Amino acid sequence: MSPENQSSVSEFLLLGLPIWPGHRGMFFTLFLGMYLITVLGNLLIILLIRLDSRLHTPMYFFLSHLAFSDISLSSVTVPKMLTNMQTQQQSIPYVGCISQLYFFILFGSLDNFLLAVMAYDRYVAICHPLHYTTMMREGLCAVFVAVSWIIACGHALLHTLLLVQLSFCADNVITHFFCDLTVLLKLSCSDISLNELVIFTEGGMLYFAPLAVVLGSYIHIGTIILKAPSTKRLLKAFSTCGSHLLVVSLYYGTLAAVYFLSSTWDSNDIIASVMYTVVTPMLNPFIYSLRNRDIKQALECLSTGLTYLSGNH
């Protein structure tokens, strides 16, 4: 199929969020604030992990990559949404839409894999504490992250290449605030059976396999704790896993609401998408800092150091 026949549309129209015109200013300010908190909060997490030697452990190594992925996931969708809200220019070029789709799938998948690796890290820390340093050595952690990046890039590329083979005819209106794969497939006037087959097989495997790792890790952790229950062990497990469990619940809960629990695309799905792409990345730094003694101590050291430097000047 020649490139000119693959798609007869040069741009798509993003309808954006279902907001009354009189409330656009308020929502623009709200989402701009949330985006800035997401970027600055996750950058702070990365900075603290870089600067504080006490945080040079596998868990925080994975957390720094998760923070970068969260910044990127929000940056793929939110700036364009804010621009459309402010300028009322709803169009996005065909190439821009495909690019947005690729990076959205990439960083969404990367989050998924990193959460699974972090769950395995918590399993080793609690169930095999004496072998933790050998089982989670630095080189292996780097391999885990590298493989996560490679699989996420390949996964995103596969679905993007399959999508660009489709034709888009008269209907170019996307009832969403970003170029989502499921919405784009509904707009296509080509046969999408191959795309759907790949989504349910390859896509399903890549999303449910990490979920199985997460569930398996925490089932093993729970089993170990229940074998010899004690207040001290429960508190240690909660302090070690509580933040990660909360982030996992937010991630998979909103993901399920968007892609698995709804048969038709409506305003409820858009709200769930906002939770998945905007709210969850914003909350992650707060979840990990407010419930984590190491992050709090690193933040206190950084603030003390900055106060000392400013006092000398």
Side-chain angles (χ1 to χ4, degrees):
M1 186 181 289
S2 61
E4 52 269 18
N5 290 331
Q6 287 178 12
S7 177
S8 59
V9 299
S10 59
E11 64 179 19
F12 292 98
L13 296 178
L14 293 168
L15 291 187
L17 300 174
I19 299 171
W20 289 101
H23 295 160
R24 283 201 184 103
M26 178 183 69
F27 277 95
F28 175 84
T29 304
L30 174 64
F31 284 112
L32 177 61
M34 293 170 71
Y35 177 65
L36 291 176
I37 291 171
T38 298
V39 173
L40 295 176
N42 282 290
L43 280 177
L44 179 60
I45 292 288
I46 295 171
L47 180 64
L48 290 174
I49 293 171
R50 284 282 185 178
L51 294 179
D52 197 315
S53 59
R54 291 171 298 180
L55 302 181
H56 293 173
T57 63
M59 183 176 75
Y60 295 110
F61 173 69
F62 299 136
L63 178 58
S64 65
H65 283 272
L66 182 67
F68 175 79
S69 182
D70 282 339
I71 293 172
S72 303
L73 183 63
S74 282
S75 298
V76 168
T77 58
V78 179
K80 178 60 178 173
M81 178 184 72
L82 292 173
T83 302
N84 290 356
M85 289 173 67
Q86 187 70 7
T87 63
Q88 297 302 301
Q89 295 291 327
Q90 297 176 312
S91 63
I92 181 171
Y94 176 82
V95 174
C97 187
I98 297 302
S99 300
Q100 187 184 60
L101 171 71
Y102 171 80
F103 287 107
F104 178 77
I105 296 175
L106 191 162
F107 291 112
S109 304
L110 184 60
D111 266 12
N112 192 27
F113 299 136
L114 289 175
L115 288 173
V117 171
M118 292 172 75
Y120 175 73
D121 173 72
R122 295 300 82 206
Y123 157 73
V124 175
I126 291 176
C127 299
H128 303 283
L130 298 179
H131 301 95
Y132 180 75
T133 53
T134 54
M135 292 179 70
M136 298 302 295
R137 57 192 179 276
E138 185 177 346
L140 184 60
C141 293
V143 169
F144 280 147
V145 171
V147 169
S148 297
W149 272 96
I150 292 169
I151 296 176
C153 288
H155 172 63
L157 185 62
L158 172 63
H159 289 280
T160 304
L161 289 177
L162 286 174
L163 183 74
V164 298
Q165 303 303 314
L166 304 178
S167 296
F168 295 91
C169 304
D171 190 2
N172 69 334
V173 179
I174 297 175
T175 56
H176 212 327
F177 62 91
F178 68 94
C179 294
D180 183 78
L181 180 60
T182 55
V183 181
L184 286 170
L185 288 177
K186 290 178 182 178
L187 292 181
S188 174
C189 49
S190 302
D191 180 15
I192 61 171
S193 57
L194 177 60
N195 301 72
E196 291 178 331
L197 177 64
V198 174
I199 288 172
F200 284 113
T201 53
E202 184 267 354
M205 181 180 66
L206 289 187
Y207 274 97
F208 285 108
L211 178 59
V213 172
V214 172
L215 293 176
S217 297
Y218 280 108
I219 288 171
H220 275 89
I221 289 171
T223 303
I224 291 293
I225 293 171
L226 291 175
K227 280 182 179 178
S230 69
T231 305
K232 185 178 179 181
R233 293 191 74 174
L234 285 171
L235 289 174
K236 181 183 177 183
F238 183 74
S239 64
T240 305
C241 306
S243 300
H244 183 255
L245 266 176
L246 189 53
V247 171
V248 165
S249 301
L250 280 171
Y251 176 83
Y252 285 107
T254 52
L255 191 69
V258 174
Y259 295 107
F260 299 108
L261 301 181
S262 178
S263 57
T264 59
W265 199 265
D266 55 24
S267 59
N268 290 331
D269 297 301
I270 295 178
I271 292 170
S273 294
V274 169
M275 288 290 297
Y276 172 58
T277 60
V278 183
V279 179
T280 301
M282 180 192 71
L283 290 178
N284 285 356
F286 293 100
I287 293 170
Y288 279 105
S289 61
L290 293 176
R291 304 188 63 84
N292 192 298
R293 184 180 59 188
D294 295 333
I295 294 288
K296 285 181 182 179
Q297 289 175 348
L299 190 57
E300 288 171 2
C301 288
L302 179 64
S303 61
T304 302
L306 292 175
T307 304
Y308 175 76
L309 288 173
S310 62
N312 285 346
H313 289 287

